[in-house]
Each structure stands twice: as C-alpha cells, then as structure tokens.
Amino acid sequence: MKRFIGFIKKEFYHIFRDKRSLFILFGMPIAQILLFGFAITNEINNVDIAILDHSKDATTKEIIAKIAASEYFSIKQIIEKESDIESIFKKGKVKAVLNFEKDFSKNLIKENKASIQIITDATDPNTANTISNFVNAILQKYQKQLNKKITIVYQIIPESRMIYNTELKSVYMFVPGVMTIILMLVSAMMTSISITREKELGTMEILLVSPLKPIQVIIGKVFPYIFLSIINAIVIVLLSIFIFKMPVQGSLFLLGLESVLFIISALALGILISTVSETQQTAMMISLMGLMLPVILLSGFIFPISSMPFPLQVISNIIPAKWFIIIIKAIMLKGVGLQFVWKETLILLGMTVFFIALSVKKYKIRLE
Amino acid sequence: MSISVSNISKSYKNVTALQDISFEVKKGELFGLIGPDGAGKTTLFRILTTLLFADKGSAIVANYDVVKDYKSIRNSVGYMPGKFSLYQDLTIEENLNFFATIFGTTIEENYDLIKDIYIQIAPFKDRKAGKLSGGMKQKLALCCALIHKPEVLFLDEPTTGVDPVSRKEFWDMLKRLQKKDITILVSTPYMDEAELCDRIALIQDGKILEIDTPESIVKHYPKPIYNVSANNMYQLINSLNAYEFNHSVYPFGEFVHYTDSRTDFNPEDLKAYLKTKKLSNIAIEITKATIEDTFMELAK
Amino acid sequence: MNNKVIQVEGLTKMFGDFAAVNAITFEVEKGEIFGFLGANGAGKTTAMKMLIGISIPTAGKANVAGFDVFTQAEEIKKNIGYMSQKFALYDDLTVKENIAFFGGIYGLPRKRIKEKSKALIEELGLEKVANKLVAALPLGWKQKLSFSVSIIHDPKIVFLDEPTGGVDPITRRQFWELIYKASHNGTTVFVTTHYMDEAEYCDRVSIMVDGKIEALDTPKKLKEQFNAANMNDVFLKLARG
C-alpha cells in the first residue's frame, strides 16, 4: 500500500509541474463550455427586422406590437414601398422584412384569410429558417387568441410543442456533449500520454524491474485522473447551472455515478492506447483520431444518430460516448431515474469491463 | 555465482543481437562487458533484468531463473538503463524517495550504502533532475538503483556522455560498492575503462570475443607491437598499409600501432622502407599492447 | 598569404552575468587537426556556435576562414562543413540520395555531385549499398559517410562535434584515417569532444575549463607538462586544479 501511495504521489507531482497538462486539465473544460454556450448557438435574440405595412389597420398594428414586444426581434425600420425591400437587405441592416398585404383586416374578416410575406436573408440559412419559424409561432399564437372568440366545430389545429427544453436553449444540448468530450479527453488522452512518457523516458524499464505489480502501475497511473476528471465533471455541471441557468432535473448522485463509470471506461481506453504506442506523440494522435473524432461525430452530440446512414448508426453503437450522452441527457434534462437508463448503463458497464480486461491483458510486463 | 549465463541467443526480425553467449560472474565481482554500440550489450542486460526473453539458452541471476523467477529477480537487482531514466520533473530527493518507496524501503534504511554518493549531490537535493549536469544525473541514477540494497547491480553504459572527471569519480564509487559485496555487471564502449574491471568480456556483433582479466587479455596479444611515428601521419599510414609485411596498422593517438607478419622482424628494415617513402623523423619503438589492440586483433 | 584559418582573440559570450565563454584566444592553422576539449558545460559548444556563425559573440574578435563572425556569418557558413553527433544523415534516403541532397544544399553543380558521389562511394567501399536506405547501414559506416558528406563541398574548415562516440575501435580508426586524409588535403579539422582518447589523435588540443582555455599545446607536450601518461590524466589534473 505504501508503494502504491508513493506512486500516486509521484503522479500528482508530474501533473502539477507540467503547465501544459494543467492547462488541458482545467482550462479546456471551462473554455469549451463557454465557447459552446455562448458562441455556437441556434437561438435568435433581438434580430433586426423591417416592416412594410400596406394596410396600417388595427390588426396589423396589433401584430406588429406583439412582434416588437418579443425578445427575439427588434423593429429597426418601417418602410413604405416594395422597392425599398431590396435596398434595405443590400445594406445589411435587417435580417428579415415582414410584408403585410393591403386591406389585411378587411380580408381577414371577409374572407377569413389574410397574408403576410416573411422575407428573410438566406445568406445565413440557419438564421433565416429560425426567424421564419419564430414569426410563424407568434402569428399562430395571435390567431389562436382570435379564434377563441369564435367557435368553429370540427376544426383541427395542429399544435407542436417542444418539451424538456421548452426554452429551446441550445446550451442545454451542448452541455452533455461537451462534458462527454472533456471527460474522454482528460481521461483517455492524459493517461495514455502519461504512460507512454514513461516508456519514452526509459523509466518504464526501471518500473518493470521493480517489485511493483503491473496492476499497481496501472491503477497508480489512472487514479489521479479519476480524481481530476470528477473535479472536471463537477466544474462543468456547476458552470451550466450557474452561468447558463440550466436546471439539472434528475439526481445529482446518479449523474455522478454514471460519470465515474464513463471516466473509468475512458481511462481503460487510455491504457489500451498506451500499450500500442511507443511515443507520446503516437498516443496523442491515436487518442485524437481514434477517440475524439468518433465522440464528436458519431455520438449524437452534434449530428443526430437517427439521420445517419445505416452503417454509421451501427458503428455508433460501439462508441461508449453515445450511451453516456443518452444517459446524461436523460438525467439532466428529463430528470429520470435509473429505471429508465439501466439498459444504457449496463451497456456502458459491459464496455468498461471489457476495456479494463483487455488493457490489463495487453499491458506488458516485459519489453516485447 | 551471482550471474550465470549459458548459451543465450536472441534475434530481432532479421538481426542477430546475441549469439550463443555464455559467461559467469562471481559474487562481489566487478565484471565489464566491453564493446561498441550495437554489439548486443543492452539486449543482454534486458534479458538478465527479465525485460526480454531469450530465444535460446538460460540465465540465472542471484540464484533465480530469469524466466521462471522473474518476480524474485525484480526484487533483488538494481538496474540503471543506458538512457538517463529518472523523472526530470522531480527533484533529486523526490526521485530517490520514489524509488525507495516502490521497493518498499526508505532512504534512511539503506543510507550507509548510498551515503558516499549521495553526499555529493545532497546540496542540490531540491533541484529538479532535468536541471542536473551529466555527472550529477549519473550519481543520482546510481543512488536510485542502489536504494533497495540489491544483490546484483546492472549498469548499462553508465559513463556514456559523461566527462572524464565524473567518469573517474564514478569508477571510484563502483570500486567502493564492490567492497560491500555487491556484484556489478557494467557495460561500456570505452576500452580504457576495461582495466578498471576485475574481469571483462569483449563483445562484438553479438559474440563474445574473449573473457578474462584485463591483464591476461593484454598478455595474450600474439605479436610484438610497435609505436611508429613520422613527420606526416597520413603518408605514414598509407606507406605502412602498402608495406607487404604488415600484419596490422592502426593509428593510435600520436603513433601508429604496427605489427609485422614475420617472426624475425627487424625495425630497421621498416625504417629503411619508410625513408624510401620520403618520410622523416621516423621513430619505431616497441610498446605494450592495450585492450583496444587485443579487441581489434580478435575482431579482425 | 595568411596561414591561419581561425583567429580568435578575447572571444566572450555572456548569458546575463554568466560568462559561458570567457575571453578565449587561439589560432588554428590550415590543415591542422585541432582538438577542442572540455567537460560538459565548460563552454565548448557555445564557443563553437560562435565560430560557425550561428551565435553572435558578446565581445572579442574572431575570424573564421577569412571572414568575420560578427559581420560575415553567411560567408562563413558557405566555407565550412559541420558534422554533429546527433544529426548526420537522413535515414529514409538512400546513400546516393543523401550525397546528392547535401551536395545540392552546398550548391554544387549536378555534374560535380555525380563525380563526387561516385568517388565517395568508391572510397568508402559502399558500392553494394549505394542504393540502400541509410537506416540499414551499421553505425560506423554512417559516421564515415556523414563525415565525407560534410566535406563534399571542399570546405576550408570542418567542425566535428563529438564524432566517434560508441563506434568499434576498427571503424574508429578508419574514421580517423579519413580525417588525416582531409587534413593532408588542406582542410582544417576542428574537433570538439569530451573523450580524451580522441584528443590523442589531434595535432594540437585546447582544454576549456569554466569558460576559459586552461591549456593549449600538442598532446605530447601537454602530457610532459602535466607529467601524465595520457590525455585523460592531463584533463583530470587540470580539472581538479
């Protein structure tokens, strides 16, 4: 036991004396969360629009007032004629123009229908799409209000409602993904680098020619990173709660346990990588290409798995990160308990056991 | 016997690293493995320290078999690999403490063994190992290899890249350790270090050329050897190489070491010959063979 | 015609308050084999870097191959060869490709490279491996090839940084025969090393201790002066004061 503690002490010296690894350990999580939270977002906020109102009656004024009151849009300009539309877009002053037809109110009452044209600047298609969806939403809400006064029999009103992330905040979607990436990075890459560093330095030779058991070396190597990864997970959750006001619906305890499980599977992968690489550089490349890319691309973090081609969907099943993301999304956003994620947890557990067994088996007690 | 190697062979893909190596090292002996880079010294060390399997043959270290009892060997030997293998980001004291703990001991427990060496680096004990000079690193590495009081000490090229003063000090330390009954197997590419060992094995291309005490190895040199010098080294070497009776011609510092193929060689004949080659200041004197001469003669 | 190819006077390099090279003065003649000895950290490497024009001295004067180290560093680089222990040849190029490459970077015309390449391969006995990768050659062959490549452009001076560490004694002698030949042909050879037996082969040696040149003479005279059996003892006596 004393040997083991001595070993762990040494590992902590390494970590705290290497500025670069310290930065990766603690700078990265914070930077990534902030980056994803603030910069990469699907939301719109105070988008500048222009209004072209040919009617100028009570109904259009009411609609315009509703739009202006929403936090999504701000009315930058009122224009008077069709020909202004093009020039205002060219100047880049607004992202959208709402064009109310003539006699809007009258048409609505007389013919039961009136039309608005939503013209958006599709050079940024995502934003354009989002803007027209938001305008539609406001209009529908308004329509419902109107319809309340009249009773129409047998009217089917389709209603789509977002649940679990009712505010459509994209940061809620990113937090589980970023957490997965960071835990993977810290655990797998840092362990594989720290083991291969010993090989490169030649100290592995001395450790092998010592009474330390291979299992002691492995656990000694991964222990500090379990500890640091847990700290990281806590930092990420705290950041999302306090900066992005993201509610964690489910049990924090369960979230913690699942995270530890995922961390251990990543550490086992890290050891596995170190058994096949001789230099720190190879270890880093394998970790980045072999682990990070699949985690980013195939785990469902950015691209929905259901819209992938079938072979990729199959491959995504062998990526531990996929299961972990499903689990933590369920816990954080839906607030469910273990009874709803036990299947995923079991899969992750199986993978972890497999990786550990494989890495212990592959760990060499000699040089060849 | 502390080390007993019998008929060890080892090859990598298409290179034969060791070929039928056998030798024995007595308890408390300082045994030198002398040979150039690529001779197979490191491979042999790794087999004896249980880091590699031999293809053929067997070896016993400290009464343990290197394959079956590898765990016991790992408890009872000290090993200093060729490359400086300590943690550069740990201080002298932290390195030493670390190695003491993993061997289940403490610095205090075996302090008398490393005392002589450690006091030389103790003033710098809070300095990181990466910031030490070559000589100090080497002393620290030796301390770390000794901290668990090993029965057998394996030192793979400990003096490579170290300046003469540190080299001298290092060999003095080894001599003192030997008195404490530790068996030492040391390898070196430097022939001049051979005479500091009790016995040596000359090794080249995976084969042992000869095993004996340094004195006997030199005595076995088969021919009288001459120091030849003249005003122009390059012409002297060329002329000697062209001389029909030469047996060997090797530049040796300011001289050329020359041996003749005839048994009734008269230096005056050679002098006369060299004069015809327009050399002047010719001097030919008989000299003693060195380990290096023997090595070259055997490796020829 | 000045026969001194290296003239150094009061050459100094300071790092902060620390004088890595402290006012050294010496001269090296054309065709001489000059040993530049010292322990690790004595200032050898720093001094050599100044001489080959990649480090600017703090004070003093130095003239190498007829050019001033302060103002004509680029000219110096064209007129010297350099062989370091760490880097010598590209392992993943063949013998011929290496020769062609180094001939090319020293600006030799193609025809000349061809001639040189042929002569060199013949001289070193590398005919059979000329089209093999350098990685496959034994260490000693690599070193000989590396030296020959470093003088492919017939430089006035060749700087060798610890050239023969770890090779077998016979190859080492073949290496020194190459050096003797280069010197005989008028190339000055400047060898830095901390292996004293290497020093025995030099015409003259200087020994640096703590940034200063403490001894400079032929090995023979130094051995007499210090009453020592070999250069190693000379060094030990000097370094211990």
Side-chain angles (χ1 to χ4, degrees):
Chain A
M1 200 57 204
K2 226 175 132 196
R3 293 179 184 182
F4 185 60
I5 292 169
F7 196 94
I8 289 177
K9 206 163 106 191
K10 180 207 71 144
E11 289 306 314
F12 275 109
Y13 283 143
H14 288 320
I15 294 165
F16 289 117
R17 285 183 191 170
D18 183 7
K19 299 266 164 0
R20 202 177 38 175
S21 67
L22 262 189
F23 176 76
I24 294 180
L25 270 174
F26 294 108
M28 284 267 274
I30 297 172
Q32 284 215 23
I33 278 286
L34 295 181
L35 209 72
F36 276 109
F38 284 121
I40 309 165
T41 164
N42 287 331
E43 292 164 46
I44 54 167
N45 215 344
N46 280 325
V47 172
D48 290 331
I49 57 167
I51 304 285
L52 174 57
D53 188 355
H54 292 291
S55 318
K56 298 204 171 106
D57 55 29
T59 317
T60 59
K61 275 188 186 143
E62 208 172 330
I63 293 174
I64 293 168
K66 282 217 181 291
I67 289 173
S70 84
E71 56 184 298
Y72 308 120
F73 302 107
S74 74
I75 296 169
K76 183 97 181 178
Q77 210 169 344
I78 307 285
I79 52 177
E80 296 301 333
K81 47 185 192 299
E82 307 270 338
S83 56
D84 288 345
I85 296 175
E86 175 129 20
S87 69
I88 200 165
F89 271 126
K90 283 207 169 137
K91 281 181 198 148
K93 279 189 180 163
V94 298
K95 292 271 183 198
V97 174
L98 299 188
N99 186 359
F100 294 86
E101 70 173 345
K102 227 177 164 183
D103 303 325
F104 190 89
S105 231
K106 216 193 277 171
N107 289 347
L108 193 66
I109 295 166
K110 252 203 212 156
E111 297 168 35
N112 275 340
K113 77 175 198 222
S115 66
I116 306 176
Q117 198 183 14
I118 307 165
I119 309 161
T120 50
D121 177 358
T123 48
D124 182 358
N126 261 333
T127 317
N129 207 3
T130 321
I131 289 173
S132 71
N133 284 339
F134 275 71
V135 174
N136 270 327
I138 294 174
L139 288 174
Q140 259 171 26
K141 220 172 165 187
Y142 178 68
Q143 227 173 322
K144 253 187 355 193
Q145 268 178 7
L146 281 183
N147 287 346
K148 260 185 198 162
K149 299 166 193 164
I150 319 154
T151 40
I152 302 167
V153 218
Y154 305 131
Q155 195 186 24
I156 298 165
I157 303 167
E159 183 188 340
S160 59
R161 190 165 72 90
M162 302 282 187
I163 50 173
Y164 303 132
N165 180 5
T166 41
E167 293 168 67
L168 276 183
K169 288 230 172 169
S170 54
V171 63
Y172 293 4
M173 307 311 294
F174 282 122
V175 165
V178 170
M179 187 153 145
T180 311
I181 289 193
I182 286 169
L183 293 185
M184 194 73 171
L185 184 80
V186 169
S187 312
M189 192 160 100
M190 301 295 269
T191 353
S192 64
I193 289 178
S194 96
I195 295 181
T196 42
R197 184 169 53 192
E198 301 239 11
K199 283 198 201 174
E200 236 174 85
L201 270 175
T203 42
M204 194 49 101
E205 267 180 69
I206 301 190
L207 293 184
L208 287 175
V209 188
S210 82
L212 273 181
K213 294 189 185 73
I215 191 78
Q216 285 178 313
V217 175
I218 292 184
I219 296 179
K221 276 282 167 195
V222 301
F223 182 83
Y225 293 103
I226 296 185
F227 179 74
L228 293 169
S229 300
I230 291 172
I231 294 185
N232 260 323
I234 293 172
V235 169
I236 294 171
V237 172
L238 287 181
L239 273 179
S240 31
I241 292 176
F242 289 106
I243 297 193
F244 298 110
K245 310 274 184 265
M246 175 179 174
V248 174
Q249 313 273 10
S251 137
L252 279 175
F253 180 70
L254 181 61
L255 184 67
L257 281 186
E258 298 279 0
S259 303
V260 171
L261 181 61
F262 179 66
I263 290 168
I264 294 175
S265 80
L267 291 171
L269 275 172
I271 298 166
L272 210 56
I273 291 173
S274 71
T275 58
V276 293
S277 32
E278 286 303 315
T279 63
Q280 295 182 59
Q281 220 179 350
T282 347
M284 187 125 98
M285 287 307 288
I286 297 180
S287 311
L288 284 176
M289 304 302 283
L291 295 181
M292 295 304 293
L293 281 182
V295 168
I296 293 175
L297 300 177
L298 293 176
S299 66
F301 162 36
I302 292 177
F303 307 108
I305 293 175
S306 53
S307 54
M308 284 176 197
F310 183 69
L312 287 184
Q313 289 195 29
V314 173
I315 293 174
S316 75
N317 285 327
I318 60 164
I319 294 169
K322 172 191 165 175
W323 305 105
F324 182 61
I325 288 184
I326 294 177
I327 295 170
I328 55 172
K329 269 189 182 169
I331 297 175
M332 291 171 112
L333 301 175
K334 294 190 205 162
V336 300
L338 188 61
Q339 65 270 32
F340 290 99
V341 290
W342 65 270
K343 222 165 57 186
E344 286 81 5
T345 309
L346 216 57
I347 295 175
L348 199 55
L349 188 69
M351 287 180 163
T352 311
V353 171
F354 175 74
F355 289 139
I356 292 180
L358 196 62
S359 58
V360 169
K361 196 172 178 303
K362 279 225 134 194
Y363 183 83
K364 293 162 197 144
I365 55 162
R366 292 194 163 80
L367 286 176
E368 31 173 29
Chain B
M1 286 303 153
S2 263
I3 303 173
S4 148
V5 179
S6 21
N7 311 99
I8 289 268
S9 294
K10 169 84 187 171
S11 16
Y12 301 106
K13 279 172 205 154
N14 43 14
V15 199
T16 311
L18 293 173
Q19 232 177 313
D20 202 24
I21 299 278
S22 300
F23 65 91
E24 289 187 326
V25 182
K26 290 183 215 111
K27 192 161 172 49
E29 199 171 21
L30 175 53
F31 191 92
L33 212 53
I34 318 285
D37 288 358
K41 302 189 298 285
T42 300
T43 304
L44 182 58
F45 269 78
R46 287 179 171 170
I47 290 172
L48 296 180
T49 51
T50 76
L51 288 170
L52 284 180
F53 287 123
D55 298 340
K56 265 186 269 166
S58 62
I60 308 284
V61 173
N63 296 323
Y64 298 114
D65 183 274
V66 289
V67 178
K68 274 184 285 174
D69 313 318
Y70 75 94
K71 281 186 184 157
S72 313
I73 291 185
R74 291 179 182 192
N75 269 310
S76 42
V77 303
Y79 173 41
M80 189 171 145
K83 215 164 42 163
F84 175 69
S85 307
L86 297 175
Y87 298 101
Q88 315 259 356
D89 52 345
L90 264 52
T91 64
I92 289 185
E93 206 178 14
E94 286 163 353
N95 263 300
L96 197 55
N97 250 323
F98 171 69
F99 285 104
T101 357
I102 66 167
F103 279 99
T105 179
T106 57
I107 299 182
E108 292 73 33
E109 205 171 315
N110 291 316
Y111 188 68
D112 59 312
L113 192 63
I114 59 163
K115 193 179 149 211
D116 285 346
I117 312 160
Y118 189 63
I119 47 171
Q120 300 178 44
I121 50 172
F124 312 99
K125 68 182 191 325
D126 295 323
R127 196 181 287 186
K128 301 233 172 87
K131 297 233 160 74
L132 298 175
S133 72
M136 292 215 287
K137 278 182 182 168
Q138 178 206 38
K139 281 172 198 156
L140 174 58
L142 184 61
C143 284
C144 291
L146 277 172
I147 192 68
H148 57 295
K149 205 164 199 296
E151 284 176 54
V152 185
L153 190 57
F154 292 94
L155 309 171
D156 191 8
E157 298 204 7
T159 53
T160 298
V162 173
D163 65 75
V165 178
S166 302
R167 267 169 72 184
K168 175 90 170 48
E169 286 171 358
F170 193 80
W171 279 96
D172 291 344
M173 286 184 279
L174 293 190
K175 288 279 178 199
R176 283 199 295 272
L177 282 176
Q178 210 192 341
K179 289 196 188 104
K180 293 179 177 157
D181 233 17
I182 293 176
T183 309
I184 303 173
L185 182 66
V186 60
S187 74
T188 174
Y190 303 113
M191 305 285 158
D192 54 343
E193 291 183 342
E195 56 195 80
L196 302 166
C197 303
D198 295 337
R199 282 195 310 141
I200 55 174
L202 301 179
I203 179 169
Q204 170 141 322
D205 296 334
K207 278 178 278 190
I208 288 187
L209 304 171
E210 180 146 19
I211 304 175
D212 215 327
T213 62
E215 299 77 34
S216 320
I217 281 189
V218 171
K219 266 185 212 143
H220 293 159
Y221 195 82
K223 285 180 176 293
I225 195 160
Y226 294 88
N227 266 342
V228 184
S229 62
N231 61 330
N232 184 313
M233 191 57 140
Y234 180 64
Q235 281 167 349
L236 176 64
I237 294 169
N238 281 348
S239 309
L240 287 172
N241 274 327
Y243 191 50
E244 56 180 318
F245 301 109
N246 76 43
H247 174 74
S248 67
V249 178
Y250 293 120
F252 227 98
E254 56 189 299
F255 304 106
V256 175
H257 276 191
Y258 173 83
T259 57
D260 199 275
S261 57
R262 295 163 292 185
T263 41
D264 56 343
F265 170 61
N266 182 354
E268 288 306 314
D269 295 347
L270 181 61
K271 205 169 197 167
Y273 163 78
L274 290 175
K275 272 183 186 150
T276 67
K277 294 287 175 182
K278 299 199 176 93
L279 285 157
S280 53
N281 295 340
I282 302 162
I284 305 176
E285 267 173 56
I286 195 143
T287 185
K288 271 190 207 150
T290 64
I291 305 267
E292 212 164 348
D293 290 305
T294 318
F295 190 99
M296 290 189 284
E297 183 63 27
L298 291 166
K300 224 171 152 185
Chain C
M1 183 61 195
N2 191 344
N3 241 356
K4 312 264 189 261
V5 290
I6 302 179
Q7 285 173 292
V8 175
E9 209 185 314
L11 196 66
T12 301
K13 179 85 185 182
M14 306 288 294
F15 294 114
D17 287 338
F18 172 69
V21 174
N22 192 352
I24 57 169
T25 301
F26 65 92
E27 286 177 338
V28 183
E29 281 184 34
K30 185 174 189 303
E32 196 172 14
I33 302 173
F34 189 81
F36 199 61
L37 318 183
N40 289 327
K44 294 187 311 263
T45 311
T46 314
M48 196 176 72
K49 278 185 183 163
M50 292 192 277
L51 296 182
I52 60 178
I54 58 175
S55 166
I56 295 174
T58 312
K61 275 193 273 183
N63 190 294
V64 175
F67 301 100
D68 186 82
V69 292
F70 284 95
T71 56
Q72 297 167 297
E74 290 312 310
E75 291 303 314
I76 291 178
K77 288 180 196 165
K78 282 182 203 154
N79 283 282
I80 60 168
Y82 178 66
M83 170 187 166
S84 95
Q85 194 187 22
K86 283 185 199 117
F87 170 78
L89 301 165
Y90 292 100
D91 269 354
D92 52 354
L93 297 185
T94 66
V95 171
K96 270 189 179 162
E97 286 163 351
N98 263 297
I99 298 174
F101 171 76
F102 285 101
I105 62 167
Y106 284 120
L108 297 190
R110 197 175 296 175
K111 199 173 146 232
R112 183 103 182 93
I113 292 178
K114 255 194 166 160
E115 289 166 15
K116 271 272 178 189
S117 173
K118 194 162 169 271
L120 219 154
I121 287 168
E122 225 177 83
E123 187 190 336
L124 297 176
L126 295 173
E127 292 93 342
K128 280 188 188 155
V129 293
N131 289 315
K132 288 235 171 83
L133 296 186
V134 161
L137 299 186
L139 178 70
W141 292 24
K142 278 190 213 173
Q143 280 182 335
K144 283 189 278 182
L145 179 60
S146 170
F147 174 71
S148 304
V149 163
S150 71
I151 56 169
I152 196 164
H153 55 305
D154 298 313
K156 290 185 182 156
I157 310 166
V158 60
F159 288 85
L160 308 177
D161 197 3
E162 285 173 19
T164 67
V167 295
D168 70 88
I170 297 181
T171 312
R172 183 139 82 116
R173 282 172 175 79
Q174 291 165 348
F175 189 85
W176 274 99
E177 284 178 29
L178 288 176
I179 294 180
Y180 285 137
K181 185 179 172 195
S183 140
H184 184 74
N185 293 339
T187 302
T188 303
V189 184
F190 189 96
V191 192
T192 66
T193 180
H194 58 240
Y195 296 119
M196 294 307 136
D197 50 346
E198 205 132 270
E200 312 260 359
Y201 293 81
C202 299
D203 293 328
R204 278 193 310 147
V205 296
S206 75
I207 301 178
M208 254 183 114
V209 180
D210 297 333
K212 288 184 189 154
I213 290 183
E214 295 289 347
L216 200 172
D217 214 326
T218 64
K220 198 177 175 177
K221 284 188 184 147
L222 285 176
K223 282 185 268 186
E224 280 166 13
Q225 184 190 334
F226 287 89
N227 190 21
N230 52 41
M231 283 304 294
N232 205 43
D233 289 345
V234 171
F235 189 88
L236 289 178
K237 284 186 179 167
L238 241 182
R240 285 179 174 172

